[in-house]
Amino acid sequence: MYTDTERCVRAVQSKDARFDGWFFTAVRTTGIYCRPSCPAVPPKVENMTFLPSAAACQQSGYRACKRCRPDTSPGSPEWNARADAVARAMRLIQDGVVDREGVPGLAAKLGYSARQVERQLNAELGAGPLALARAQRAQTARLLIETSELPMGDIAFAAGFSSIRTFNDTVREVFALAPSELRTRAEKGPKQAQVPGTISLRLPFRTPLNPDNLFGHLAATAVPGVEEWRAGAYRRTLRLPYGTGVVALSPQPDHIGCQLALTDLRDLTIAISRCRRLLDLDADPEAVDEQLSADPLLAPLVAKAPGRRVPRTVDAEEFAVRAVLGQQVSTAAARTHAARLVTAHGERVGDPDPEGGLTHLFPSSQALAELDPQALALPRSRRSTLTTLVAALADGSLPLGIDSDWDTARAGLAALPGFGPWTTEIIAMRALGDPDAFIPADLGIRRAAKGLGLPSTPAALTARAAHWRPWRAYAVQYLWATEDHAINVLPA
């Protein structure tokens, strides 16, 4: 995108917010970089240069614009729409792997050498993994400075910096302001309501966003004790690298309200990344809806409620277990089975939840590997499927996560007993994040297809859906929305 100079110039001159996160505008004469929708007067074309990432801008000596705050723009949709090494690396960097394990740890997860990873990221993003992680640390630091009253020393280490000096130098270099000046500026601006013990922030997204199926699905399938819908927000517990957390996510017209309570602030960046992934906030709805609208039978559905997202997950292994529990049963029955697992094997969170009824973390695969199959109120074949799955997850022979290669993961899932196309594809769609995952044999999809005049047999529907690629997972959301079901309704 950033190499298409003419298109970038048009986006900047029209202040087109759809391109925020796709590229950044660096202005040679001022030494600042902006998002395409910056409200300032656009610079002269000859003074613009376009770069693919905030890290590349910072590495080239540009500082962030104080008006449009380009470091807070939605992430590039490319990283959630691709499964190559660069996209997987970006997802891992966003999840804090470089801060926790360094570049060697990142490379090991990708199956490449550190040198290869460095070369690929520099070629495509203009910055290596350390620079990309540094840019992310700077953004987290700014967030904590502006939204909390924590001492600067605590913020430095919570954001992932190795020393207070590095923290101060980075903030000054990236934002052209000292940390104390950033806090002073924030105190003069509009205040956001803060709940004691929590961090409140806004998660940006590209419009349009239809919250009905997104939050409706999460609320309708919520596992008691782990998830709930309360007071206009979806709330759930989080298992994070350094501790645990509780998040409340509420849909607003121009952002998603997010309140996080964490036992260790070093998990803030990871928690934000996982919440964005859960709600598919880095999607490009314009590209998705344009492609799907080209089908005359889907076009009315898209026009009626554009901007549908794919409800995803904060934990791929958790979702895989829940997918097995949901095989051939109703939504209510799947919740009941999952709730029993949580009660028997889930880890209790610390203090009672003051805001609602969250009590447990969903059990880890290691905890579930020790369960007695006879204690499961499931058919024998389902018990076998579940125990085989958790054993493969626990011993690492079936790695599922944001860094998974989608085709490799599909093959691993399909090799397990009891895993047919429906289970494999629903995991690919919601746990692995493949935007082209498709479930033509799903009963709701077949009913919707028949009602619209689409082919209703799996083979014929798959052939017709070739025109929807690479966004078939989003087509599933539009087809599901034709049914009168709780997953399609934003809870009151």
Side-chain angles (χ1 to χ4, degrees), residues 272-336:
I272 293 172
S273 174
R274 293 184 184 181
C275 290
R276 293 192 64 82
R277 185 167 176 80
L278 169 71
L279 301 180
D280 197 17
L281 296 186
D282 291 323
D284 183 358
E286 294 278 349
V288 172
D289 290 352
E290 181 182 3
Q291 177 76 13
L292 299 183
S293 294
D295 188 317
L297 297 181
L298 282 187
L301 302 181
V302 176
K304 180 181 178 181
R308 293 194 183 275
R309 301 298 208 271
V310 178
R312 291 183 175 153
T313 182
V314 294
D315 187 322
E317 293 189 2
E318 172 190 320
F319 185 83
V321 171
R322 292 172 62 173
V324 170
L325 296 176
Q327 288 178 333
Q328 299 178 348
V329 298
S330 67
T331 299
R335 292 181 66 200
T336 299

Side-chain angles (χ1 to χ4, degrees), residues 306-491:
R308 293 194 183 275
R309 301 298 208 271
V310 178
R312 291 183 175 153
T313 182
V314 294
D315 187 322
E317 293 189 2
E318 172 190 320
F319 185 83
V321 171
R322 292 172 62 173
V324 170
L325 296 176
Q327 288 178 333
Q328 299 178 348
V329 298
S330 67
T331 299
R335 292 181 66 200
T336 299
H337 291 315
R340 289 172 180 162
L341 275 189
V342 167
T343 301
H345 303 280
E347 179 185 338
R348 289 194 67 88
V349 293
D351 298 328
D353 177 16
E355 303 294 326
L358 301 182
T359 58
H360 288 78
L361 298 171
F362 195 86
S364 66
S365 54
Q366 287 75 19
L368 291 176
E370 300 174 359
L371 62 80
D372 177 7
Q374 301 305 317
L376 298 172
L378 297 170
R380 181 181 301 176
S381 61
R382 194 82 44 78
R383 292 203 300 264
S384 175
T385 299
L386 182 62
T387 54
T388 305
L389 169 67
V390 296
L393 294 174
D395 66 19
S397 59
L398 177 65
L400 295 181
I402 57 173
D403 57 324
S404 295
D405 178 88
W406 296 334
D407 291 336
T408 301
R410 277 185 171 92
L413 289 167
L416 298 177
F419 271 75
W422 183 90
T423 310
T424 300
E425 286 300 303
I426 200 73
I427 292 172
M429 178 191 300
R430 296 193 56 198
L432 304 182
D434 184 353
D436 201 37
F438 192 51
I439 46 175
D442 179 80
L443 183 59
I445 296 299
R446 294 176 67 180
R447 284 199 297 254
K450 184 176 180 181
L452 291 172
L454 290 163
S456 57
T457 62
L461 185 56
T462 299
R464 174 60 181 271
H467 300 293
W468 307 338
R469 305 191 75 168
W471 309 118
R472 292 184 300 177
Y474 294 87
V476 167
Q477 309 310 312
Y478 283 105
L479 292 172
W480 270 340
T482 62
E483 290 209 309
D484 182 15
H485 195 286
I487 65 169
N488 297 316
V489 180
L490 185 68

Side-chain angles (χ1 to χ4, degrees), residues 139-179:
Q139 181 181 346
T140 302
R142 181 177 194 164
L143 181 65
L144 286 171
I145 290 168
E146 296 180 340
T147 63
S148 77
E149 298 179 357
L150 289 171
M152 293 299 176
D154 291 348
I155 289 175
F157 293 109
F161 290 96
S162 58
S163 69
I164 295 176
R165 180 177 179 178
T166 304
F167 160 73
N168 286 328
D169 290 346
T170 300
V171 170
R172 286 194 183 96
E173 182 180 337
V174 173
F175 304 115
L177 292 169

